[in-house]
Amino acid sequence: MQIFLNCQESHLVEVDATTSVGQLRDIVQAREGVPASACYLVSQGHLLSEGTLAENGIAALSTVQVGVRMVGGKVHGSLARAGKVKGQTPKVDKEEGKRKQKTGRCKRRNQYNKRFVNVVPGIGKKRGPNSNAE
């Protein structure tokens, strides 16, 4: 039977149904120069790893795609630097005894209580909050 091999170029190869996947890889190596250990074969969306062509469901005039495994490679852009800044920044301990300033509704409530609710009427002229006179 004849099958089509799609690699860098297309080839029409004469094989038997009892031909193993390993022998087909050797044929690819002879035709394309790609090492048999570095290539993988795909037919009808399934990876061909072992067994004969008939066991893998390859019939006459089927197409087998040949792919080449690539090792390593460079990671692009921000993925290479992910988490780098956080790892380089030293941990600073919290200061003890220092309270966080109140903000928003809580700050306004405290301001209202200080100005209008907890006012003790004193004798004489009312002084401002920054007055140092006694």
Side-chain angles (χ1 to χ4, degrees):
M1 75 177 174
Q2 294 178 332
I3 61 170
F4 293 100
L5 284 178
N6 283 345
C7 193
Q8 293 171 344
E9 297 177 9
S10 295
H11 302 282
L12 184 63
V13 181
E14 183 70 37
V15 291
D16 294 328
T18 58
T19 304
S20 69
V21 175
Q23 291 170 337
L24 194 58
R25 285 189 182 150
D26 293 336
I27 293 170
V28 170
Q29 183 174 358
R31 298 269 177 116
E32 291 282 337
V34 178
S37 60
C39 70
Y40 60 93
L41 306 173
V42 178
S43 176
Q44 302 169 357
H46 298 287
L47 187 67
L48 307 178
S49 56
E50 56 187 39
T52 64
L53 298 181
E55 290 172 0
N56 286 303
I58 298 175
L61 299 178
S62 293
T63 302
V64 176
Q65 284 85 23
V66 179
V68 180
R69 290 189 176 91
M70 298 182 73
V71 182
K74 184 177 178 182
V75 177
H76 290 282
S78 63
L79 294 177
R81 294 185 301 273
K84 185 175 181 183
V85 173
K86 186 175 181 183
Q88 290 177 345
T89 308
K91 178 76 173 157
V92 178
D93 294 329
K94 277 176 90 174
E95 291 184 28
E96 292 182 23
K98 203 171 191 183
R99 295 182 103 187
K100 186 172 81 170
Q101 264 192 336
K102 305 279 187 194
T103 60
R105 187 183 63 84
C106 182
K107 181 179 179 181
R108 294 288 178 221
R109 192 180 114 239
N110 288 341
Q111 196 176 49
Y112 173 80
N113 287 338
K114 190 190 230 180
R115 289 183 183 171
F116 301 110
V117 177
N118 295 332
V119 175
V120 177
I123 301 172
K125 186 178 172 187
K126 184 179 181 216
R127 294 179 306 215
N130 293 329
S131 172
N132 290 328
E134 288 201 30

